[in-house]
Amino acid sequence: MVETGHHHQHPPAPAVAGPPMVSSMAVPRGPTWTPAEQLHHLQYCIHSNPSWHETVVLAFQHYIVVLGTTVLIANTLVPQMGGDDGDKARVIQTILFMSGINTLLQTLIGTRLPTVMGVSFAYVLPVLSIIRDYNDGQFNTEKQRFHHTMRTVQGSLIISSFVNIIIGYGQAWGNLIRIFSPIIVVPVVTLTSLGLFVRGFPLLANCVEIGLPMLISLIASQQYLKYVIPRAHMILERYALLVCLALIWAFAAILTVSGAYNNVSVATKQSCRTDRAFLMSSAPWIRIPYPFQWGTPIFRASHVFGMFGAAIVASAESTGVFFAASRLAGATAPPAHVVSRSVGLQGIGVLLEGIFGSISGNTASVENVGLLGLTRIGSRRVVQISTGFMIFFSIFGKFGAFFASIPLPVFAGIYCILLGIVAAIGISFIQFADTNSMRNIYVIGVSLFLSLSITQYFISNTTRGGYGPVRTAGGWFNDILNTIFASAPLVAIIVATILDNTLEAGHAMNERGILWWKPFQHRNGDSRNDEFYSFPLRVGEYIPTRFL
């Protein structure tokens, strides 16, 4: 790794008085592994770049991965809004266009980590609330209802974006990050991934005959076949995802053409057939998303307030992803002010999405960060080049629709691997704290279990119409609480921060890993912070320090 040439480990903490030393059983049995600030097996880190032809192919993989989530949220919301296949195609184009713009902004003047800014499912509940309010037959056609709903979503996104802008550039979010410790980061990052388990095998099982082969073939080709064919080791490790995707997609097309799905349920046809998306026929050849494409935004207080909760949830999701990306890119943990400015920039992205007419706000894509670990390539340039694919295929709709017709269970097979990698990265942060401390075990264990348990309760008790377990007379209040407590990363932040900072926090500084963590959370705490997170081309000289 290019960056590791002059890096150094922080000196060990001075010894403190404590309980008597207990003999270790690990010494006679084998070596113990010291904590490592950077992963040892990354092939390219944040500053180092593959050759240009490799960069382009790797960037295309990032486009494919973010496409699955984009199609999934469009399939979930657009039909309920009254939109047809043409509307769905235009929504997908808009989401991809904005993902490209927001990703480019984040990698240039945000965290500068190789993170793709994709669509956030945190906004689904508030959008369902808007759909519910317009579902009483007050429109003459479904097309009118779709446009009216989209205009309301636009207005709500525009106003709610200021939540991210204020807490980000106002440094409120940075002040929260400064009281984090590795003990808090473990559940936050881990649940950023595990909280999305419904995108894994449950989605794969909708068409197990193509989803399961995708999962098995990806594991076999990338992890085992490279030892059988040593000459193809590097190709399989980096590009196995594209190879397996092409083979399974072709297999699904053969099943579709051969009539295997002619006499099955409608749900099975939609999940398995390659011709059920109807995007190729409805997508325009060339269309550039433009501001207020659905009409003048509609601002309604109840819907705006309901989306505030989604804005906070998206910030929590992105925070966990940023910490995971820093590990997989070979960078130090992002300082508090960097995470804070990235959340503020995320708000600007939501503002742009509201102006251009996206269906949801943005968040850092967990799946794409998992791809960094799968390929072992954390290069920033690869992610920046991927924005070219997002913007290109969002403008040339027919080409983008071709890839968007990949069945979702195929994407689910990929997500089973990528989300698992991010979960493991979250667990790896525990090495910087005392893993034998019962206090730490208590905080991490309770935070993990409660976060999963609480969010599962809220998700399980939410109807298809968006009614959650909190049902008071105030609809906006219901949307805020139901959205917040349906997010595992945000619940993890709440629970872990309270426990870690109240349970013997002052006496357990060493156990919590504070001495290792603290230098990274200050602007000048570690000499490498500027190396990884400073703005390019001296841009920072023209921005007030309080906004950096």
Side-chain angles (χ1 to χ4, degrees), residues 357-368:
S358 180
I359 203 172
S360 171
N362 68 86
T363 190
S365 172
V366 187
E367 299 89 347
N368 288 87

Side-chain angles (χ1 to χ4, degrees), residues 130-247:
I130 296 173
I131 295 172
R132 193 168 61 240
D133 286 352
Y134 292 148
N135 202 21
D136 55 2
Q138 57 183 303
F139 302 101
N140 296 327
T141 64
E142 286 293 271
K143 181 68 71 173
Q144 288 182 355
R145 183 166 73 89
F146 171 77
H147 280 272
H148 203 81
T149 305
M150 283 299 302
R151 291 165 58 196
T152 306
V153 171
Q154 280 185 262
S156 300
L157 286 175
I158 290 172
I159 301 301
S160 65
S161 68
F162 288 96
V163 172
N164 301 103
I165 294 173
I166 292 172
I167 65 175
Y169 288 120
Q171 289 298 318
W173 199 259
N175 292 334
L176 172 65
I177 301 300
R178 285 189 180 91
I179 63 174
F180 273 22
S181 71
I183 298 302
I184 298 174
V185 174
V186 170
V188 172
V189 176
T190 302
L191 291 174
T192 299
S193 169
L194 295 184
L196 304 177
F197 65 88
V198 292
R199 297 190 205 172
F201 204 85
L203 182 60
L204 179 153
N206 290 338
C207 191
V208 71
E209 59 267 31
I210 61 174
L212 192 58
M214 181 68 213
L215 173 61
I216 295 174
S217 64
L218 183 56
I219 296 175
S221 61
Q222 206 217 22
Q223 300 299 326
Y224 296 100
L225 189 59
K226 63 184 181 181
Y227 298 112
V228 179
I229 312 175
R231 291 185 177 181
H233 182 286
M234 197 64 67
I235 295 175
L236 290 171
E237 191 167 76
R238 296 182 185 179
Y239 312 120
L241 187 150
L242 285 181
V243 174
C244 295
L245 178 66
L247 293 175

Side-chain angles (χ1 to χ4, degrees), residues 17 47 92 126 155 212 220 275 304 322 335 345 359 390 457 511 517 527:
H47 291 321
I92 291 173
L212 192 58
D275 59 355
V304 168
F322 292 148
L345 186 60
I359 203 172
M390 299 175 202
Y457 168 77
E511 292 179 31
W517 180 259
S527 60

Side-chain angles (χ1 to χ4, degrees), residues 167-439:
I167 65 175
Y169 288 120
Q171 289 298 318
W173 199 259
N175 292 334
L176 172 65
I177 301 300
R178 285 189 180 91
I179 63 174
F180 273 22
S181 71
I183 298 302
I184 298 174
V185 174
V186 170
V188 172
V189 176
T190 302
L191 291 174
T192 299
S193 169
L194 295 184
L196 304 177
F197 65 88
V198 292
R199 297 190 205 172
F201 204 85
L203 182 60
L204 179 153
N206 290 338
C207 191
V208 71
E209 59 267 31
I210 61 174
L212 192 58
M214 181 68 213
L215 173 61
I216 295 174
S217 64
L218 183 56
I219 296 175
S221 61
Q222 206 217 22
Q223 300 299 326
Y224 296 100
L225 189 59
K226 63 184 181 181
Y227 298 112
V228 179
I229 312 175
R231 291 185 177 181
H233 182 286
M234 197 64 67
I235 295 175
L236 290 171
E237 191 167 76
R238 296 182 185 179
Y239 312 120
L241 187 150
L242 285 181
V243 174
C244 295
L245 178 66
L247 293 175
I248 301 303
W249 190 13
F251 175 62
I254 292 172
L255 291 178
T256 300
V257 174
S258 64
Y261 301 119
N262 289 346
N263 299 312
V264 296
S265 65
V266 174
T268 301
K269 290 181 180 179
Q270 291 176 341
S271 297
C272 300
R273 294 182 68 98
T274 57
D275 59 355
R276 296 296 292 183
F278 302 114
L279 295 176
M280 284 292 293
S281 58
S282 55
W285 278 103
I286 299 177
R287 181 178 182 275
I288 301 177
Y290 56 90
F292 309 119
Q293 57 182 311
W294 311 110
T296 306
I298 297 174
F299 303 94
R300 292 184 60 177
S302 58
H303 297 145
V304 168
F305 283 114
M307 207 163 278
F308 283 177
I312 298 174
V313 168
S315 301
E317 293 173 345
S318 294
T319 299
V321 175
F322 292 148
F323 282 111
S326 68
R327 290 280 288 160
L328 290 170
T332 57
H337 71 278
V338 171
V339 177
S340 199
R341 83 186 182 203
S342 70
V343 169
L345 186 60
Q346 184 176 334
I348 294 177
V350 175
L351 176 62
L352 292 175
E353 286 170 324
I355 293 173
F356 277 81
S358 180
I359 203 172
S360 171
N362 68 86
T363 190
S365 172
V366 187
E367 299 89 347
N368 288 87
V369 169
L371 185 59
L372 302 180
L374 184 71
T375 59
R376 303 187 184 184
I377 295 176
S379 169
R380 181 192 293 130
R381 178 184 292 175
V382 170
V383 172
Q384 290 175 332
I385 296 300
S386 73
T387 63
F389 286 105
M390 299 175 202
I391 296 173
F392 175 85
F393 287 116
S394 67
I395 294 175
F396 296 91
K398 292 291 185 184
F399 298 100
F402 174 72
F403 295 106
S405 63
I406 301 172
L408 289 175
V410 176
F411 285 109
I414 298 172
Y415 293 161
C416 287
I417 305 298
L418 303 185
L419 295 178
I421 291 173
V422 177
I425 284 296
I427 296 172
S428 73
F429 276 94
I430 199 174
Q431 67 182 304
F432 304 114
D434 185 356
T435 57
N436 295 309
S437 166
M438 286 304 301
R439 175 205 176 274

Side-chain angles (χ1 to χ4, degrees), residues 37-59:
E37 292 179 356
Q38 292 179 305
L39 299 176
H40 295 153
H41 301 289
L42 297 178
Q43 295 171 6
Y44 291 94
C45 296
I46 187 169
H47 291 321
S48 53
N49 304 305
S51 61
W52 276 106
H53 68 275
E54 290 179 309
T55 297
V56 171
V57 179
L58 292 165

